[in-house]
Amino acid sequence: MERVLKFLKEAETYYLATVEGDQPRVRPFGTVNVFEGKLYIQTGKRKPVSAQLLANPKAEICAFKDGKWLRLCGEFVEDDRVEAKKAMLDAYPNLRAMYDENDGNTQVFFVKNATATFSSFTEAPQTVTF
C-alpha cells in the first residue's frame, strides 16, 4: 500500500473511474491518504461521484508518471467518521477552503480488497494486493 500511496502522491493527479447505470464515468482526483492502515480518497457528497460509489462501490484509479502507470481496483467503502475526514483534510489543508469534517458534505472512502498493478512499456507488470 505504501508503494501505491507514493506513486499516487508523486503523480499528483489520478483518474477515478466509476459507473453510473451502464455508463462509465472518469474524472481527475488528487486526494489520497492513509488513515488507520487504509488507503482513502475524498470527495463531496453533493457530487455525482458520491452517488456512483454508493450505488456501485467497485471502481478503479489510474495514474501515470515517468512512463509508468498504476491501475488500482477495489471496493470503495464510505467511512463517515469525523476522524477519517479530519485526517484527510489535515493532509490537504488547501481543501479547507471548500470542506470541513463537520460540514455534512465532506466524504471519504477507503479501498477494500485492493489490487494494484504497476505497468510500463519496458517492464513486466507487478501486482500487489491489500
Side-chain angles (χ1 to χ4, degrees), residues 36-102:
E36 295 182 346
K38 297 175 186 168
L39 189 75
Y40 281 77
I41 66 167
Q42 182 272 334
T43 191
K45 290 183 179 182
R46 296 181 192 108
K47 294 183 177 181
V49 67
S50 170
Q52 293 158 8
L53 287 173
L54 292 173
N56 181 352
K58 292 181 181 178
E60 288 198 9
I61 286 174
C62 186
F64 184 85
K65 75 173 186 72
D66 301 328
K68 298 180 180 183
W69 62 94
L70 164 68
R71 288 184 57 193
L72 170 66
C73 65
E75 297 171 51
F76 288 67
V77 180
E78 182 182 22
D79 185 342
D80 202 33
R81 295 178 299 152
V82 170
E83 297 85 0
K85 296 173 193 178
K86 183 178 183 321
M88 177 64 78
L89 295 175
D90 286 350
Y92 291 89
N94 58 322
L95 290 177
R96 289 208 173 268
M98 298 179 294
Y99 296 102
D100 181 87
E101 57 268 21
N102 296 301

Side-chain angles (χ1 to χ4, degrees), residues 98-126:
M98 298 179 294
Y99 296 102
D100 181 87
E101 57 268 21
N102 296 301
D103 64 8
N105 181 42
T106 301
Q107 187 174 39
V108 293
F109 293 86
F110 66 87
V111 187
K112 177 180 165 186
N113 300 324
T115 300
T117 303
F118 295 88
S119 301
S120 78
F121 293 115
T122 59
E123 300 171 13
Q126 298 177 352

